[in-house]
Amino acid sequence: MTLRVARSAVLLLTGLATIILNQIMTGYPALFGIALTVGALLTVSWLFIHFNEPFDPFLIMELVADGFAGIVIFTYPHSGELFFMIVFSFWIVFMGILFLGSGVIRQQKKDKLAVYLISGIMLVVLGFVTINYTSENMGSVNYLIGFATVVYSVINIYLLMSKKRGPHPPPGAK
């Protein structure tokens, strides 16, 4: 569980960095690419350590999205602000879809269904808002990207921690 929380913490720090350092941070796409690549490596490490345990198939899709988006940011020869916005939008919409799918499909997560659905819809909307930014509003796109990353990370940490604690037995149960 620590590696899963560490992945979200890396993304949280990246989101906070873009909000706090908005005007002086020109290398945010590289920082985000590094965070996604580190997140993918942490997920691979978690899978390697827990290879003989059952795992959520959505974890593999999350790994593929993180790794793909992180590697594309580094390897595309003409990456700029607009290209980064496309990659980020793809990534955050995909994470929102994973939240929606995980909440609807998994029976053991029905107690958190509202969290999964609301956060999934919100992430999909934030992704579409990011992709539709105009050149006049480019000064605030880093705030939106940072906000979306922070929201995703905080919700992910909350869901991981609530899963770790598990349901509490009713009072008087043995």
Side-chain angles (χ1 to χ4, degrees):
M1 191 62 66
T2 305
L3 291 171
R4 302 291 304 139
V5 173
R7 174 194 170 270
S8 293
V10 166
L11 290 169
L12 177 65
L13 292 175
T14 305
L16 290 174
T18 192
I19 292 170
I20 295 169
L21 305 172
N22 183 33
Q23 299 304 321
I24 58 174
M25 193 166 143
T26 57
Y28 184 69
L31 180 64
F32 188 73
I34 291 169
L36 288 180
T37 306
V38 168
L41 291 174
L42 289 170
T43 304
V44 166
S45 300
W46 187 90
L47 287 170
F48 183 73
I49 292 170
H50 300 281
F51 69 94
N52 59 348
E53 299 173 11
F55 60 89
D56 191 357
F58 287 102
L59 185 67
I60 299 296
M61 290 186 267
E62 182 182 272
L63 166 68
V64 169
D66 283 356
F68 180 75
I71 298 299
V72 164
I73 287 173
F74 289 122
T75 59
Y76 188 71
H78 304 291
S79 63
E81 261 186 16
L82 293 176
F83 177 73
F84 170 67
M85 287 172 50
I86 292 169
V87 172
F88 177 80
S89 296
F90 154 77
W91 179 80
I92 201 70
V93 166
F94 194 78
M95 292 300 132
I97 292 170
L98 288 181
F99 272 2
L100 287 170
S102 185
V104 170
I105 293 174
R106 303 287 172 231
Q107 293 297 326
Q108 68 267 25
K109 297 179 181 175
K110 290 298 181 191
D111 60 329
K112 302 281 187 234
L113 180 64
V115 175
Y116 278 102
L117 291 180
I118 291 170
S119 60
I121 291 169
M122 186 169 57
L123 291 175
V124 169
V125 168
L126 286 172
F128 282 113
V129 168
T130 303
I131 198 71
N132 290 313
Y133 249 71
T134 61
S135 59
E136 294 87 32
N137 300 330
M138 283 302 208
S140 64
V141 73
N142 280 350
Y143 289 119
L144 179 65
I145 289 172
F147 175 73
T149 308
V150 168
V151 165
Y152 169 74
S153 301
V154 168
I155 292 170
N156 208 21
I157 289 171
Y158 166 73
L159 291 171
L160 288 169
M161 291 304 207
S162 66
K163 183 167 74 169
K164 186 175 183 179
R165 281 183 267 143
H168 298 294
K174 294 186 181 191

PDB file of all heavy atoms in Angstrom, residues 59-94:
ATOM      1  N   LEU A  59      -5.639  -1.395 -12.125  1.00  0.00           N
ATOM      2  CA  LEU A  59      -4.267  -1.025 -11.783  1.00  0.00           C
ATOM      3  C   LEU A  59      -3.360  -1.121 -13.014  1.00  0.00           C
ATOM      4  O   LEU A  59      -2.495  -0.261 -13.226  1.00  0.00           O
ATOM      5  CB  LEU A  59      -3.761  -1.930 -10.655  1.00  0.00           C
ATOM      6  CG  LEU A  59      -2.404  -1.632 -10.080  1.00  0.00           C
ATOM      7  CD1 LEU A  59      -2.433  -0.307  -9.334  1.00  0.00           C
ATOM      8  CD2 LEU A  59      -1.991  -2.747  -9.147  1.00  0.00           C
ATOM      9  N   ILE A  60      -3.574  -2.134 -13.831  1.00  0.00           N
ATOM     10  CA  ILE A  60      -2.776  -2.288 -15.060  1.00  0.00           C
ATOM     11  C   ILE A  60      -3.091  -1.151 -16.032  1.00  0.00           C
ATOM     12  O   ILE A  60      -2.189  -0.597 -16.665  1.00  0.00           O
ATOM     13  CB  ILE A  60      -3.057  -3.658 -15.713  1.00  0.00           C
ATOM     14  CG1 ILE A  60      -2.673  -4.791 -14.766  1.00  0.00           C
ATOM     15  CG2 ILE A  60      -2.350  -3.790 -17.047  1.00  0.00           C
ATOM     16  CD1 ILE A  60      -1.201  -4.870 -14.444  1.00  0.00           C
ATOM     17  N   MET A  61      -4.357  -0.786 -16.134  1.00  0.00           N
ATOM     18  CA  MET A  61      -4.726   0.314 -17.030  1.00  0.00           C
ATOM     19  C   MET A  61      -4.123   1.635 -16.542  1.00  0.00           C
ATOM     20  O   MET A  61      -3.683   2.462 -17.341  1.00  0.00           O
ATOM     21  CB  MET A  61      -6.236   0.408 -17.151  1.00  0.00           C
ATOM     22  CG  MET A  61      -6.833  -0.752 -17.927  1.00  0.00           C
ATOM     23  SD  MET A  61      -8.577  -0.549 -18.214  1.00  0.00           S
ATOM     24  CE  MET A  61      -9.221  -1.413 -16.794  1.00  0.00           C
ATOM     25  N   GLU A  62      -4.092   1.821 -15.220  1.00  0.00           N
ATOM     26  CA  GLU A  62      -3.470   3.016 -14.650  1.00  0.00           C
ATOM     27  C   GLU A  62      -1.977   3.030 -14.954  1.00  0.00           C
ATOM     28  O   GLU A  62      -1.414   4.063 -15.328  1.00  0.00           O
ATOM     29  CB  GLU A  62      -3.702   3.012 -13.138  1.00  0.00           C
ATOM     30  CG  GLU A  62      -3.162   4.187 -12.404  1.00  0.00           C
ATOM     31  CD  GLU A  62      -3.407   4.039 -10.918  1.00  0.00           C
ATOM     32  OE1 GLU A  62      -4.468   4.455 -10.446  1.00  0.00           O
ATOM     33  OE2 GLU A  62      -2.514   3.494 -10.230  1.00  0.00           O
ATOM     34  N   LEU A  63      -1.334   1.888 -14.828  1.00  0.00           N
ATOM     35  CA  LEU A  63       0.091   1.754 -15.132  1.00  0.00           C
ATOM     36  C   LEU A  63       0.370   2.098 -16.590  1.00  0.00           C
ATOM     37  O   LEU A  63       1.301   2.853 -16.893  1.00  0.00           O
ATOM     38  CB  LEU A  63       0.556   0.332 -14.809  1.00  0.00           C
ATOM     39  CG  LEU A  63       1.909  -0.097 -15.355  1.00  0.00           C
ATOM     40  CD1 LEU A  63       3.024   0.669 -14.669  1.00  0.00           C
ATOM     41  CD2 LEU A  63       2.093  -1.590 -15.180  1.00  0.00           C
ATOM     42  N   VAL A  64      -0.437   1.578 -17.490  1.00  0.00           N
ATOM     43  CA  VAL A  64      -0.248   1.843 -18.914  1.00  0.00           C
ATOM     44  C   VAL A  64      -0.444   3.326 -19.222  1.00  0.00           C
ATOM     45  O   VAL A  64       0.343   3.927 -19.959  1.00  0.00           O
ATOM     46  CB  VAL A  64      -1.210   0.959 -19.756  1.00  0.00           C
ATOM     47  CG1 VAL A  64      -1.237   1.395 -21.204  1.00  0.00           C
ATOM     48  CG2 VAL A  64      -0.812  -0.497 -19.632  1.00  0.00           C
ATOM     49  N   ALA A  65      -1.469   3.939 -18.642  1.00  0.00           N
ATOM     50  CA  ALA A  65      -1.720   5.367 -18.883  1.00  0.00           C
ATOM     51  C   ALA A  65      -0.574   6.223 -18.346  1.00  0.00           C
ATOM     52  O   ALA A  65      -0.117   7.152 -19.018  1.00  0.00           O
ATOM     53  CB  ALA A  65      -3.037   5.791 -18.254  1.00  0.00           C
ATOM     54  N   ASP A  66      -0.111   5.926 -17.127  1.00  0.00           N
ATOM     55  CA  ASP A  66       1.008   6.681 -16.554  1.00  0.00           C
ATOM     56  C   ASP A  66       2.265   6.525 -17.406  1.00  0.00           C
ATOM     57  O   ASP A  66       2.919   7.506 -17.753  1.00  0.00           O
ATOM     58  CB  ASP A  66       1.311   6.207 -15.133  1.00  0.00           C
ATOM     59  CG  ASP A  66       0.338   6.716 -14.103  1.00  0.00           C
ATOM     60  OD1 ASP A  66      -0.560   7.508 -14.467  1.00  0.00           O
ATOM     61  OD2 ASP A  66       0.470   6.331 -12.930  1.00  0.00           O
ATOM     62  N   GLY A  67       2.601   5.281 -17.707  1.00  0.00           N
ATOM     63  CA  GLY A  67       3.815   5.032 -18.480  1.00  0.00           C
ATOM     64  C   GLY A  67       3.744   5.629 -19.872  1.00  0.00           C
ATOM     65  O   GLY A  67       4.690   6.268 -20.340  1.00  0.00           O
ATOM     66  N   PHE A  68       2.614   5.453 -20.539  1.00  0.00           N
ATOM     67  CA  PHE A  68       2.458   5.978 -21.895  1.00  0.00           C
ATOM     68  C   PHE A  68       2.545   7.497 -21.916  1.00  0.00           C
ATOM     69  O   PHE A  68       3.296   8.077 -22.703  1.00  0.00           O
ATOM     70  CB  PHE A  68       1.127   5.504 -22.481  1.00  0.00           C
ATOM     71  CG  PHE A  68       0.882   6.003 -23.868  1.00  0.00           C
ATOM     72  CD1 PHE A  68       1.559   5.464 -24.953  1.00  0.00           C
ATOM     73  CD2 PHE A  68      -0.030   7.022 -24.099  1.00  0.00           C
ATOM     74  CE1 PHE A  68       1.336   5.936 -26.237  1.00  0.00           C
ATOM     75  CE2 PHE A  68      -0.261   7.492 -25.375  1.00  0.00           C
ATOM     76  CZ  PHE A  68       0.420   6.949 -26.443  1.00  0.00           C
ATOM     77  N   ALA A  69       1.788   8.158 -21.039  1.00  0.00           N
ATOM     78  CA  ALA A  69       1.801   9.626 -21.025  1.00  0.00           C
ATOM     79  C   ALA A  69       3.179  10.159 -20.633  1.00  0.00           C
ATOM     80  O   ALA A  69       3.661  11.137 -21.222  1.00  0.00           O
ATOM     81  CB  ALA A  69       0.731  10.153 -20.069  1.00  0.00           C
ATOM     82  N   GLY A  70       3.815   9.540 -19.646  1.00  0.00           N
ATOM     83  CA  GLY A  70       5.139   9.992 -19.222  1.00  0.00           C
ATOM     84  C   GLY A  70       6.188   9.842 -20.309  1.00  0.00           C
ATOM     85  O   GLY A  70       6.987  10.748 -20.562  1.00  0.00           O
ATOM     86  N   ILE A  71       6.183   8.708 -20.996  1.00  0.00           N
ATOM     87  CA  ILE A  71       7.159   8.468 -22.052  1.00  0.00           C
ATOM     88  C   ILE A  71       6.884   9.352 -23.269  1.00  0.00           C
ATOM     89  O   ILE A  71       7.808   9.874 -23.885  1.00  0.00           O
ATOM     90  CB  ILE A  71       7.170   6.970 -22.448  1.00  0.00           C
ATOM     91  CG1 ILE A  71       7.591   6.103 -21.255  1.00  0.00           C
ATOM     92  CG2 ILE A  71       8.053   6.709 -23.643  1.00  0.00           C
ATOM     93  CD1 ILE A  71       8.965   6.380 -20.716  1.00  0.00           C
ATOM     94  N   VAL A  72       5.620   9.555 -23.608  1.00  0.00           N
ATOM     95  CA  VAL A  72       5.282  10.397 -24.764  1.00  0.00           C
ATOM     96  C   VAL A  72       5.751  11.830 -24.541  1.00  0.00           C
ATOM     97  O   VAL A  72       6.244  12.476 -25.469  1.00  0.00           O
ATOM     98  CB  VAL A  72       3.761  10.335 -25.053  1.00  0.00           C
ATOM     99  CG1 VAL A  72       3.312  11.459 -25.961  1.00  0.00           C
ATOM    100  CG2 VAL A  72       3.411   9.000 -25.672  1.00  0.00           C
ATOM    101  N   ILE A  73       5.604  12.335 -23.326  1.00  0.00           N
ATOM    102  CA  ILE A  73       6.048  13.705 -23.044  1.00  0.00           C
ATOM    103  C   ILE A  73       7.541  13.847 -23.315  1.00  0.00           C
ATOM    104  O   ILE A  73       7.995  14.862 -23.839  1.00  0.00           O
ATOM    105  CB  ILE A  73       5.707  14.094 -21.593  1.00  0.00           C
ATOM    106  CG1 ILE A  73       4.211  14.316 -21.463  1.00  0.00           C
ATOM    107  CG2 ILE A  73       6.472  15.348 -21.154  1.00  0.00           C
ATOM    108  CD1 ILE A  73       3.735  14.551 -20.051  1.00  0.00           C
ATOM    109  N   PHE A  74       8.324  12.814 -22.990  1.00  0.00           N
ATOM    110  CA  PHE A  74       9.777  12.887 -23.184  1.00  0.00           C
ATOM    111  C   PHE A  74      10.225  12.580 -24.606  1.00  0.00           C
ATOM    112  O   PHE A  74      11.245  13.084 -25.056  1.00  0.00           O
ATOM    113  CB  PHE A  74      10.496  11.935 -22.225  1.00  0.00           C
ATOM    114  CG  PHE A  74      10.458  12.393 -20.811  1.00  0.00           C
ATOM    115  CD1 PHE A  74       9.912  11.587 -19.831  1.00  0.00           C
ATOM    116  CD2 PHE A  74      10.945  13.634 -20.441  1.00  0.00           C
ATOM    117  CE1 PHE A  74       9.863  12.003 -18.524  1.00  0.00           C
ATOM    118  CE2 PHE A  74      10.898  14.063 -19.139  1.00  0.00           C
ATOM    119  CZ  PHE A  74      10.357  13.245 -18.180  1.00  0.00           C
ATOM    120  N   THR A  75       9.510  11.752 -25.330  1.00  0.00           N
ATOM    121  CA  THR A  75      10.018  11.289 -26.613  1.00  0.00           C
ATOM    122  C   THR A  75       9.460  12.038 -27.819  1.00  0.00           C
ATOM    123  O   THR A  75      10.033  11.940 -28.899  1.00  0.00           O
ATOM    124  CB  THR A  75       9.710   9.779 -26.794  1.00  0.00           C
ATOM    125  OG1 THR A  75       8.303   9.576 -26.715  1.00  0.00           O
ATOM    126  CG2 THR A  75      10.433   8.967 -25.747  1.00  0.00           C
ATOM    127  N   TYR A  76       8.372  12.761 -27.673  1.00  0.00           N
ATOM    128  CA  TYR A  76       7.824  13.484 -28.816  1.00  0.00           C
ATOM    129  C   TYR A  76       8.751  14.645 -29.156  1.00  0.00           C
ATOM    130  O   TYR A  76       9.069  15.469 -28.295  1.00  0.00           O
ATOM    131  CB  TYR A  76       6.409  13.979 -28.508  1.00  0.00           C
ATOM    132  CG  TYR A  76       5.704  14.553 -29.696  1.00  0.00           C
ATOM    133  CD1 TYR A  76       5.273  13.726 -30.726  1.00  0.00           C
ATOM    134  CD2 TYR A  76       5.468  15.913 -29.805  1.00  0.00           C
ATOM    135  CE1 TYR A  76       4.615  14.242 -31.825  1.00  0.00           C
ATOM    136  CE2 TYR A  76       4.815  16.437 -30.898  1.00  0.00           C
ATOM    137  CZ  TYR A  76       4.394  15.593 -31.906  1.00  0.00           C
ATOM    138  OH  TYR A  76       3.743  16.114 -33.001  1.00  0.00           O
ATOM    139  N   PRO A  77       9.201  14.750 -30.406  1.00  0.00           N
ATOM    140  CA  PRO A  77      10.228  15.754 -30.730  1.00  0.00           C
ATOM    141  C   PRO A  77       9.759  17.203 -30.710  1.00  0.00           C
ATOM    142  O   PRO A  77      10.557  18.105 -30.511  1.00  0.00           O
ATOM    143  CB  PRO A  77      10.677  15.354 -32.142  1.00  0.00           C
ATOM    144  CG  PRO A  77       9.578  14.543 -32.696  1.00  0.00           C
ATOM    145  CD  PRO A  77       8.879  13.897 -31.537  1.00  0.00           C
ATOM    146  N   HIS A  78       8.471  17.456 -30.902  1.00  0.00           N
ATOM    147  CA  HIS A  78       7.991  18.832 -30.975  1.00  0.00           C
ATOM    148  C   HIS A  78       7.020  19.135 -29.845  1.00  0.00           C
ATOM    149  O   HIS A  78       5.971  19.731 -30.056  1.00  0.00           O
ATOM    150  CB  HIS A  78       7.304  19.084 -32.325  1.00  0.00           C
ATOM    151  CG  HIS A  78       8.171  18.777 -33.490  1.00  0.00           C
ATOM    152  ND1 HIS A  78       9.272  19.526 -33.819  1.00  0.00           N
ATOM    153  CD2 HIS A  78       8.119  17.771 -34.389  1.00  0.00           C
ATOM    154  CE1 HIS A  78       9.849  19.012 -34.873  1.00  0.00           C
ATOM    155  NE2 HIS A  78       9.172  17.939 -35.249  1.00  0.00           N
ATOM    156  N   SER A  79       7.383  18.724 -28.654  1.00  0.00           N
ATOM    157  CA  SER A  79       6.458  18.953 -27.545  1.00  0.00           C
ATOM    158  C   SER A  79       6.557  20.406 -27.087  1.00  0.00           C
ATOM    159  O   SER A  79       7.619  20.990 -27.010  1.00  0.00           O
ATOM    160  CB  SER A  79       6.754  18.003 -26.387  1.00  0.00           C
ATOM    161  OG  SER A  79       8.033  18.232 -25.874  1.00  0.00           O
ATOM    162  N   GLY A  80       5.418  20.963 -26.806  1.00  0.00           N
ATOM    163  CA  GLY A  80       5.305  22.322 -26.306  1.00  0.00           C
ATOM    164  C   GLY A  80       4.114  22.392 -25.373  1.00  0.00           C
ATOM    165  O   GLY A  80       3.604  21.371 -24.906  1.00  0.00           O
ATOM    166  N   GLU A  81       3.652  23.607 -25.109  1.00  0.00           N
ATOM    167  CA  GLU A  81       2.524  23.775 -24.192  1.00  0.00           C
ATOM    168  C   GLU A  81       1.263  23.091 -24.695  1.00  0.00           C
ATOM    169  O   GLU A  81       0.576  22.418 -23.932  1.00  0.00           O
ATOM    170  CB  GLU A  81       2.233  25.270 -23.988  1.00  0.00           C
ATOM    171  CG  GLU A  81       2.805  25.835 -22.740  1.00  0.00           C
ATOM    172  CD  GLU A  81       2.346  27.277 -22.529  1.00  0.00           C
ATOM    173  OE1 GLU A  81       1.376  27.726 -23.167  1.00  0.00           O
ATOM    174  OE2 GLU A  81       2.977  27.944 -21.713  1.00  0.00           O
ATOM    175  N   LEU A  82       0.961  23.270 -25.964  1.00  0.00           N
ATOM    176  CA  LEU A  82      -0.264  22.678 -26.505  1.00  0.00           C
ATOM    177  C   LEU A  82      -0.197  21.158 -26.509  1.00  0.00           C
ATOM    178  O   LEU A  82      -1.180  20.484 -26.185  1.00  0.00           O
ATOM    179  CB  LEU A  82      -0.537  23.210 -27.908  1.00  0.00           C
ATOM    180  CG  LEU A  82      -0.878  24.694 -27.987  1.00  0.00           C
ATOM    181  CD1 LEU A  82      -1.025  25.139 -29.428  1.00  0.00           C
ATOM    182  CD2 LEU A  82      -2.140  24.993 -27.199  1.00  0.00           C
ATOM    183  N   PHE A  83       0.948  20.619 -26.865  1.00  0.00           N
ATOM    184  CA  PHE A  83       1.095  19.164 -26.850  1.00  0.00           C
ATOM    185  C   PHE A  83       0.964  18.632 -25.429  1.00  0.00           C
ATOM    186  O   PHE A  83       0.307  17.610 -25.202  1.00  0.00           O
ATOM    187  CB  PHE A  83       2.440  18.761 -27.455  1.00  0.00           C
ATOM    188  CG  PHE A  83       2.675  17.284 -27.403  1.00  0.00           C
ATOM    189  CD1 PHE A  83       1.984  16.434 -28.253  1.00  0.00           C
ATOM    190  CD2 PHE A  83       3.564  16.736 -26.491  1.00  0.00           C
ATOM    191  CE1 PHE A  83       2.188  15.068 -28.203  1.00  0.00           C
ATOM    192  CE2 PHE A  83       3.765  15.374 -26.432  1.00  0.00           C
ATOM    193  CZ  PHE A  83       3.083  14.537 -27.295  1.00  0.00           C
ATOM    194  N   PHE A  84       1.577  19.321 -24.470  1.00  0.00           N
ATOM    195  CA  PHE A  84       1.460  18.892 -23.079  1.00  0.00           C
ATOM    196  C   PHE A  84       0.011  18.923 -22.616  1.00  0.00           C
ATOM    197  O   PHE A  84      -0.447  18.027 -21.901  1.00  0.00           O
ATOM    198  CB  PHE A  84       2.322  19.764 -22.160  1.00  0.00           C
ATOM    199  CG  PHE A  84       2.059  19.519 -20.712  1.00  0.00           C
ATOM    200  CD1 PHE A  84       2.378  18.315 -20.132  1.00  0.00           C
ATOM    201  CD2 PHE A  84       1.454  20.486 -19.933  1.00  0.00           C
ATOM    202  CE1 PHE A  84       2.117  18.065 -18.791  1.00  0.00           C
ATOM    203  CE2 PHE A  84       1.186  20.262 -18.602  1.00  0.00           C
ATOM    204  CZ  PHE A  84       1.523  19.047 -18.035  1.00  0.00           C
ATOM    205  N   MET A  85      -0.731  19.952 -23.026  1.00  0.00           N
ATOM    206  CA  MET A  85      -2.138  20.036 -22.635  1.00  0.00           C
ATOM    207  C   MET A  85      -2.934  18.866 -23.199  1.00  0.00           C
ATOM    208  O   MET A  85      -3.830  18.334 -22.536  1.00  0.00           O
ATOM    209  CB  MET A  85      -2.734  21.368 -23.095  1.00  0.00           C
ATOM    210  CG  MET A  85      -2.246  22.543 -22.280  1.00  0.00           C
ATOM    211  SD  MET A  85      -2.731  24.148 -22.934  1.00  0.00           S
ATOM    212  CE  MET A  85      -4.458  23.967 -23.194  1.00  0.00           C
ATOM    213  N   ILE A  86      -2.608  18.415 -24.401  1.00  0.00           N
ATOM    214  CA  ILE A  86      -3.284  17.266 -24.999  1.00  0.00           C
ATOM    215  C   ILE A  86      -2.967  15.997 -24.210  1.00  0.00           C
ATOM    216  O   ILE A  86      -3.859  15.216 -23.874  1.00  0.00           O
ATOM    217  CB  ILE A  86      -2.898  17.115 -26.484  1.00  0.00           C
ATOM    218  CG1 ILE A  86      -3.461  18.273 -27.291  1.00  0.00           C
ATOM    219  CG2 ILE A  86      -3.365  15.776 -27.038  1.00  0.00           C
ATOM    220  CD1 ILE A  86      -2.921  18.359 -28.702  1.00  0.00           C
ATOM    221  N   VAL A  87      -1.686  15.803 -23.907  1.00  0.00           N
ATOM    222  CA  VAL A  87      -1.289  14.611 -23.155  1.00  0.00           C
ATOM    223  C   VAL A  87      -1.897  14.625 -21.760  1.00  0.00           C
ATOM    224  O   VAL A  87      -2.420  13.611 -21.289  1.00  0.00           O
ATOM    225  CB  VAL A  87       0.257  14.491 -23.082  1.00  0.00           C
ATOM    226  CG1 VAL A  87       0.677  13.372 -22.151  1.00  0.00           C
ATOM    227  CG2 VAL A  87       0.833  14.275 -24.467  1.00  0.00           C
ATOM    228  N   PHE A  88      -1.862  15.777 -21.097  1.00  0.00           N
ATOM    229  CA  PHE A  88      -2.447  15.865 -19.759  1.00  0.00           C
ATOM    230  C   PHE A  88      -3.943  15.602 -19.811  1.00  0.00           C
ATOM    231  O   PHE A  88      -4.484  14.882 -18.961  1.00  0.00           O
ATOM    232  CB  PHE A  88      -2.185  17.233 -19.123  1.00  0.00           C
ATOM    233  CG  PHE A  88      -2.837  17.372 -17.780  1.00  0.00           C
ATOM    234  CD1 PHE A  88      -2.235  16.820 -16.663  1.00  0.00           C
ATOM    235  CD2 PHE A  88      -4.063  17.992 -17.637  1.00  0.00           C
ATOM    236  CE1 PHE A  88      -2.850  16.902 -15.423  1.00  0.00           C
ATOM    237  CE2 PHE A  88      -4.681  18.087 -16.415  1.00  0.00           C
ATOM    238  CZ  PHE A  88      -4.070  17.542 -15.295  1.00  0.00           C
ATOM    239  N   SER A  89      -4.620  16.182 -20.784  1.00  0.00           N
ATOM    240  CA  SER A  89      -6.061  15.979 -20.903  1.00  0.00           C
ATOM    241  C   SER A  89      -6.391  14.508 -21.104  1.00  0.00           C
ATOM    242  O   SER A  89      -7.322  13.973 -20.484  1.00  0.00           O
ATOM    243  CB  SER A  89      -6.626  16.797 -22.055  1.00  0.00           C
ATOM    244  OG  SER A  89      -6.464  18.162 -21.796  1.00  0.00           O
ATOM    245  N   PHE A  90      -5.635  13.841 -21.979  1.00  0.00           N
ATOM    246  CA  PHE A  90      -5.822  12.403 -22.181  1.00  0.00           C
ATOM    247  C   PHE A  90      -5.653  11.666 -20.860  1.00  0.00           C
ATOM    248  O   PHE A  90      -6.469  10.826 -20.492  1.00  0.00           O
ATOM    249  CB  PHE A  90      -4.820  11.885 -23.218  1.00  0.00           C
ATOM    250  CG  PHE A  90      -4.497  10.430 -23.066  1.00  0.00           C
ATOM    251  CD1 PHE A  90      -5.375   9.457 -23.502  1.00  0.00           C
ATOM    252  CD2 PHE A  90      -3.303  10.033 -22.473  1.00  0.00           C
ATOM    253  CE1 PHE A  90      -5.087   8.107 -23.345  1.00  0.00           C
ATOM    254  CE2 PHE A  90      -3.004   8.697 -22.310  1.00  0.00           C
ATOM    255  CZ  PHE A  90      -3.894   7.728 -22.751  1.00  0.00           C
ATOM    256  N   TRP A  91      -4.593  11.988 -20.139  1.00  0.00           N
ATOM    257  CA  TRP A  91      -4.292  11.279 -18.896  1.00  0.00           C
ATOM    258  C   TRP A  91      -5.369  11.500 -17.837  1.00  0.00           C
ATOM    259  O   TRP A  91      -5.836  10.546 -17.211  1.00  0.00           O
ATOM    260  CB  TRP A  91      -2.919  11.711 -18.369  1.00  0.00           C
ATOM    261  CG  TRP A  91      -2.547  11.041 -17.095  1.00  0.00           C
ATOM    262  CD1 TRP A  91      -2.041   9.789 -16.943  1.00  0.00           C
ATOM    263  CD2 TRP A  91      -2.659  11.594 -15.785  1.00  0.00           C
ATOM    264  NE1 TRP A  91      -1.842   9.532 -15.607  1.00  0.00           N
ATOM    265  CE2 TRP A  91      -2.209  10.624 -14.880  1.00  0.00           C
ATOM    266  CE3 TRP A  91      -3.096  12.822 -15.291  1.00  0.00           C
ATOM    267  CZ2 TRP A  91      -2.186  10.835 -13.514  1.00  0.00           C
ATOM    268  CZ3 TRP A  91      -3.072  13.032 -13.928  1.00  0.00           C
ATOM    269  CH2 TRP A  91      -2.622  12.047 -13.061  1.00  0.00           C
ATOM    270  N   ILE A  92      -5.780  12.737 -17.622  1.00  0.00           N
ATOM    271  CA  ILE A  92      -6.743  13.022 -16.547  1.00  0.00           C
ATOM    272  C   ILE A  92      -8.130  12.488 -16.913  1.00  0.00           C
ATOM    273  O   ILE A  92      -8.859  12.000 -16.041  1.00  0.00           O
ATOM    274  CB  ILE A  92      -6.762  14.518 -16.165  1.00  0.00           C
ATOM    275  CG1 ILE A  92      -7.332  14.714 -14.755  1.00  0.00           C
ATOM    276  CG2 ILE A  92      -7.529  15.348 -17.147  1.00  0.00           C
ATOM    277  CD1 ILE A  92      -6.467  14.225 -13.655  1.00  0.00           C
ATOM    278  N   VAL A  93      -8.513  12.532 -18.196  1.00  0.00           N
ATOM    279  CA  VAL A  93      -9.789  11.944 -18.606  1.00  0.00           C
ATOM    280  C   VAL A  93      -9.748  10.432 -18.409  1.00  0.00           C
ATOM    281  O   VAL A  93     -10.709   9.828 -17.913  1.00  0.00           O
ATOM    282  CB  VAL A  93     -10.126  12.312 -20.071  1.00  0.00           C
ATOM    283  CG1 VAL A  93     -11.244  11.448 -20.624  1.00  0.00           C
ATOM    284  CG2 VAL A  93     -10.499  13.782 -20.170  1.00  0.00           C
ATOM    285  N   PHE A  94      -8.632   9.817 -18.754  1.00  0.00           N
ATOM    286  CA  PHE A  94      -8.496   8.372 -18.582  1.00  0.00           C
ATOM    287  C   PHE A  94      -8.577   7.985 -17.103  1.00  0.00           C
ATOM    288  O   PHE A  94      -9.223   6.999 -16.751  1.00  0.00           O
ATOM    289  CB  PHE A  94      -7.175   7.891 -19.198  1.00  0.00           C
ATOM    290  CG  PHE A  94      -7.103   6.410 -19.365  1.00  0.00           C
ATOM    291  CD1 PHE A  94      -7.752   5.796 -20.419  1.00  0.00           C
ATOM    292  CD2 PHE A  94      -6.399   5.636 -18.472  1.00  0.00           C
ATOM    293  CE1 PHE A  94      -7.698   4.418 -20.575  1.00  0.00           C
ATOM    294  CE2 PHE A  94      -6.337   4.260 -18.613  1.00  0.00           C
ATOM    295  CZ  PHE A  94      -6.981   3.651 -19.679  1.00  0.00           C
TER     296      PHE A  94
END
